[in-house]
Amino acid sequence: MHESSPVALAGGATVRRADARYRGLISGANTRWVGAPRYVHLVSSVAEVVEAVQAAVDQGLKLAVRSGGHCDEDFTTSPDVQVVINLAGLDAVYYDEERRAFAVEPGATLGRVYETLYRGWGVTLPGGTCPTVGAGGHIVGGGYGALSRRHGLTVDYLHAVEVVVVGEDGRCRTVVATSEPDDPHRELWWAHTGAGGGNFGVITRYWLRAPGTGSAEPADQLPAPPAELIVSDVAWSWDDLTEEGFTRLVRNFGAWHEANSAPDSPYVGLYSQLKTQHRAAGAFRMSTQIDAGLPGADEMLDRFLAAVSEGVGADCTVNDRSVLPWFYVVREWFGFVEPSLPRWKAKSAYLRKAMPAGQLAALYRQLTRDDYENPFSMVALVSYGGRINEIAPGATAVSQRDSVLKLLYVTLWTDPSEDVRHDRWIRECYADVYGSSGGVPRRDDVTDGCFINYADADVADPALNDSGVPWHELYFGDNYPRLQAVKEQWDPRGEFSHGLSVRPTT
């Protein structure tokens, strides 16, 4: 059907190219990705989602779904996307008495989720530290955050999911899939515990509760956050660090996590980010928080800081150390508080143990290059492990269940004319760090692939990934064949796809 004879939709708002709102709705947070869909459909109810999906299917139009818009890649803006269904208006957060679980709609931002859960019931979800990220993509990708070492991943609390799917006959319907062992749709629920968004249908609601709880009280269905946190922010000047000192610092950070990330470790209440920025920044920081209610929390933080600093040969500068209410910290975004730059490229890795010498040497080499000087290029090492690792690799779609650190490689910039330069650096950095394993963090005794929520389409491009390690092995490990079976059952026509989506076996 031609754009000149569009199907009229009764529900929601359809924004076409002549509409003044169109320009503001065709890209997300990463402004390097700008789409050109025939229209964007704004929805605020499940019925409107069903209608919007059906209209796209009936017209034979390629559709994509956006909630918070923080995707690192062009999955909702690629040239083949003709319809974008925007879920921002589907943003309710409430307690569902019938299901005895908290319902979260996909358009709700994490900040809204945390505020509603905390103000209403004194509970939270152990999700990410950026309050503007949408719950829709974050949860389904196995989102994690500052409380995950103590409480696990978001998907560890996923009781049920509501999805608009398209059958082989081209008809749309809404399916609720739960974690109940006798649910005939249980595999569809399982696939939503870490496969990432845009794979099987349109998620319209999550239900979340702690597994195994017998209580009927809402306050018992999700974890309670700490009342207060001790927060610490320290920095090291590049001018004070030799290569030996830098190497020792990063190795210390990894070794501490290797030794203190068991599920029963007394340190599961501590979370830290070591954000090693390029030398052009002049310095880089380590932000840490610990539950102030832990016995001896101050001394535990002191021991952590001393362990990381041991033998570095350079003193750190203390930017902050204070006791703050948890709710204040989560609202003010404890985390990647770098300047808000509109263009970026990201990559990721899981670490099962401290970085070996070869990786450390490559990291130093890339962060001190004088032919690329961007102060907003960074490799961040982020606390992981703890009770995340109590769950078996196949219990959810998140297969990485014995790692102790997660790495985020990211470079940010403003000028579109510099895209190639920044892409080149991050690709060369990644390939250098993982040079001994083909340029990717293959699954071995040190690394365990990549994190789907830090999407990196490079690994699925044969021209950029010649390691011999398939992209799906990096992201999904041994769980991929099971995800493919779910794909074939629930999206038999292949209506939902993007650069890193689950693909059928045929």
Side-chain angles (χ1 to χ4, degrees):
M1 180 170 290
H2 297 293
E3 190 173 358
S4 59
S5 55
V7 170
L9 297 177
T14 303
V15 178
R16 302 186 188 277
R17 292 172 182 170
D19 193 307
R21 296 170 293 176
Y22 180 85
R23 178 63 185 173
L25 295 172
I26 57 174
S27 66
N30 191 347
T31 60
R32 68 183 303 194
W33 307 126
V34 180
R38 294 190 182 186
Y39 62 85
V40 177
H41 197 68
L42 307 174
V43 297
S44 57
S45 72
V46 177
E48 290 173 3
V49 174
V50 173
E51 183 186 28
V53 173
Q54 190 66 67
V57 172
D58 289 346
Q59 296 176 89
L61 300 178
K62 165 72 175 173
L63 67 91
V65 181
R66 177 179 295 138
S67 53
H70 281 70
C71 184
D72 293 331
E73 292 287 356
D74 69 344
F75 297 164
T76 63
T77 61
S78 59
D80 61 334
V81 171
Q82 298 164 298
V83 176
V84 174
I85 300 175
N86 189 307
L87 302 175
L90 203 60
D91 64 350
V93 180
Y94 59 93
Y95 186 71
D96 186 329
E97 296 280 355
E98 182 179 351
R99 291 197 180 273
R100 193 166 54 83
F102 288 96
V104 174
E105 292 180 347
T109 63
L110 294 184
R112 177 179 175 85
V113 172
Y114 299 150
E115 183 169 359
T116 304
L117 294 178
Y118 184 77
R119 290 189 186 277
W121 299 275
V123 298
T124 193
L125 188 68
T129 55
C130 177
T132 60
V133 165
H138 182 72
I139 293 174
V140 73
Y144 77 109
L147 296 180
S148 291
R149 279 167 57 85
R150 170 172 280 184
H151 296 298
L153 303 176
T154 55
V155 294
D156 298 339
Y157 295 86
L158 185 60
H159 169 65
V161 63
E162 180 181 67
V163 192
V164 175
V165 298
V166 182
E168 198 159 11
D169 60 358
R171 305 313 298 166
C172 300
R173 63 189 176 107
T174 303
V175 175
V176 174
T178 76
S179 61
E180 299 297 336
D182 59 350
D183 185 345
H185 303 147
R186 191 176 189 276
E187 282 298 281
L188 183 61
W189 161 83
W190 177 84
H192 284 83
T193 63
N199 277 301
F200 312 104
V202 182
I203 301 162
T204 51
R205 183 159 29 198
Y206 296 103
W207 284 275
L208 300 140
R209 74 180 190 206
T213 181
S215 173
E217 292 296 320
D220 295 332
Q221 307 306 318
L222 286 176
E228 293 183 317
L229 298 169
I230 306 174
V231 298
S232 165
D233 189 81
V234 301
W236 287 268
S237 169
W238 272 108
D239 288 342
D240 297 337
L241 285 169
T242 62
E243 180 174 0
E244 182 181 2
F246 174 85
T247 300
R248 181 67 179 267
L249 174 64
V250 178
R251 185 170 60 228
N252 286 349
F253 189 83
W256 185 92
H257 282 84
E258 193 176 338
N260 293 281
S261 293
D264 60 352
S265 168
Y267 280 96
V268 293
L270 184 146
Y271 169 84
S272 187
Q273 300 172 348
L274 178 61
K275 295 164 276 194
T276 60
Q277 289 174 257
H278 190 280
R279 188 183 185 100
F284 59 87
R285 300 165 38 219
M286 182 175 73
S287 301
T288 308
Q289 69 176 51
I290 188 169
D291 180 355
L294 290 173
D298 264 309
E299 291 77 14
M300 293 174 73
L301 178 58
D302 287 340
R303 288 194 291 272
F304 168 72
L305 295 173
V308 173
S309 300
E310 183 180 3
V312 171
D315 293 332
C316 63
T317 300
V318 178
N319 298 323
D320 182 37
R321 178 157 175 165
S322 54
V323 178
L324 295 169
W326 172 85
F327 190 47
Y328 174 85
V329 174
V330 79
R331 283 182 302 166
E332 296 302 317
W333 182 7
F334 174 86
F336 293 108
V337 288
E338 314 304 332
S340 180
L341 299 177
R343 307 176 80 81
W344 72 82
K345 172 66 178 175
K347 294 177 176 288
S348 67
Y350 287 91
L351 272 177
R352 287 170 155 151
K353 58 178 65 174
M355 296 179 81
Q359 292 184 9
L360 289 167
L363 182 62
Y364 180 83
R365 187 161 51 242
Q366 294 298 326
L367 291 175
T368 57
R369 283 172 57 169
D370 58 13
D371 63 335
Y372 175 82
E373 296 186 342
N374 179 11
F376 307 116
S377 295
M378 173 176 66
V379 179
L381 293 85
V382 185
S383 294
Y384 205 67
R387 289 177 180 160
I388 296 170
N389 294 347
E390 285 185 321
I391 309 298
T396 67
V398 178
S399 67
Q400 296 90 350
R401 291 289 186 167
D402 64 357
S403 293
V404 299
L405 286 170
K406 192 171 284 188
L407 270 62
L408 169 63
Y409 295 74
V410 64
T411 184
L412 305 94
W413 66 97
T414 300
D415 187 348
S417 70
E418 296 184 348
D419 288 1
V420 172
R421 181 171 77 93
H422 295 293
D423 280 346
R424 182 185 301 116
W425 174 80
I426 198 168
R427 287 167 177 163
E428 290 175 355
C429 176
Y430 201 67
D432 194 8
V433 172
Y434 303 111
S436 65
S437 56
V440 297
R442 69 169 68 234
R443 302 170 66 207
D444 57 27
D445 62 330
V446 176
T447 54
D448 193 14
C450 310
F451 178 39
I452 192 61
N453 276 359
Y454 297 160
D456 173 24
D458 289 356
V459 298
D461 184 343
L464 296 171
N465 177 12
D466 58 1
S467 67
V469 182
W471 68 270
H472 53 79
E473 181 178 322
L474 292 169
Y475 282 110
F476 306 119
D478 294 337
N479 287 337
Y480 191 62
R482 187 174 171 186
L483 289 171
Q484 288 182 292
V486 177
K487 179 73 169 178
E488 290 169 351
Q489 178 180 359
W490 291 101
D491 184 26
R493 294 163 53 100
E495 298 288 349
F496 303 95
S497 64
H498 54 71
L500 292 175
S501 60
V502 176
R503 296 163 194 177
T505 56
T506 55

